[in-house]
Amino acid sequence: MENDQEIAKKAIRGDEEAFLQLITLNKEALFRTALAYLKNEEDALDAVQEVTMRAFEKIKTLRMPEYAKTWLIRIMMNHCNDVLQKKKRYVFDGNAGELKGVSDDFTYMEVEEALNHLSEKDRQLVHLKYLHDIKIKDIADMTSTPEGTVKTRLYKAVKSLREFFEGKEENGLDGRGKKIEEVERGN
């Protein structure tokens, strides 16, 4: 069985089947990245489609096959940032408050709330390192940032997240901002 690097090399040479294999291997990571940024399943699926097309058009520009996953995720992050910038330009109507696809997984909501307290750059680093398990060296290459800086920013971001959650515990709040005692009593 071929490894990811061999598949990427074939895709770079123009093998369409290898490109499809490459996308299939990385579709979950691409979807999770899009969902983390766009917060909407439908938009995330659209983003995966768009990034697949962009990657297909630009696959020959990938110089290092061992970074194919990193390259794809970077394309996704750039696309999601573009989508978010475009959304900021529009004025929403009264239905903007309507939430689609919201689950009762308050742990997920808590994590999202905590991540929203981080800067965009730090949030991006946390996603890359902990959601996609990308090595610090690869993150440094992707973001054109020195490794030491990436380590420092990740350390500070994780510390900030820890403080956020410890603060919630100290205040006795659950993921919905309710006092834990009230939730336990059924209020």
Side-chain angles (χ1 to χ4, degrees):
M1 182 159 200
E2 295 176 297
N3 69 24
D4 295 359
Q5 195 170 342
E6 291 169 2
I7 294 168
K9 283 180 184 177
K10 284 183 175 181
I12 292 168
R13 289 192 301 263
D15 184 333
E16 290 181 9
E17 285 297 317
F19 177 79
L20 287 174
Q21 246 183 313
L22 184 66
I23 292 297
T24 302
L25 288 170
N26 294 291
K27 70 181 176 188
E28 186 179 330
L30 291 171
F31 178 73
R32 283 188 307 180
T33 301
L35 192 57
Y37 274 82
L38 303 174
K39 315 269 191 270
N40 176 314
E41 203 170 306
E42 190 175 307
D43 289 344
L45 289 170
D46 287 344
V48 170
Q49 255 185 336
E50 177 65 26
V51 166
T52 299
M53 185 189 75
R54 287 184 185 185
F56 183 74
E57 291 171 349
K58 300 287 184 183
I59 188 71
K60 290 182 176 55
T61 66
L62 176 60
R63 291 184 301 255
M64 298 168 65
E66 62 271 21
Y67 294 116
K69 178 179 181 179
T70 304
W71 180 74
L72 287 168
I73 290 172
R74 187 75 202 157
I75 294 171
M76 179 59 78
M77 290 166 44
N78 289 337
H79 173 70
C80 289
N81 283 328
D82 291 347
V83 169
L84 292 172
Q85 287 299 321
K86 286 177 186 171
K87 280 186 177 184
K88 283 182 183 178
R89 294 183 198 147
Y90 296 115
V91 176
F92 290 102
D93 62 13
N95 296 333
E98 194 177 301
L99 297 174
K100 295 180 181 172
V102 175
S103 72
D104 285 339
D105 185 0
F106 296 109
T107 305
Y108 171 79
M109 289 175 62
E110 270 186 311
V111 171
E112 284 299 313
E113 180 185 1
L115 286 171
N116 284 332
H117 282 74
L118 298 176
S119 72
E120 180 61 36
K121 283 184 176 183
D122 289 347
R123 190 167 42 248
Q124 200 174 64
L125 288 178
V126 170
H127 279 287
L128 291 172
K129 176 68 179 146
Y130 299 106
L131 269 120
H132 299 294
D133 201 29
I134 295 175
K135 294 178 182 131
I136 289 174
K137 181 187 182 324
D138 296 342
I139 294 171
D141 291 343
M142 268 175 80
T143 60
S144 303
T145 307
E147 271 185 70
T149 304
V150 171
K151 288 178 184 177
T152 301
R153 285 180 34 208
L154 271 171
Y155 173 80
K156 288 179 179 179
V158 169
K159 183 179 176 189
S160 175
L161 291 171
R162 189 175 295 119
E163 288 170 357
F164 176 86
F165 286 112
E166 286 171 357
K168 277 194 162 288
E169 282 179 13
E170 285 174 16
N171 294 326
L173 300 176
D174 75 346
R176 297 166 283 191
K178 287 189 170 188
K179 290 279 186 190
I180 291 174
E181 302 84 49
E182 292 176 12
V183 173
E184 289 171 351
R185 285 192 307 239
N187 293 336

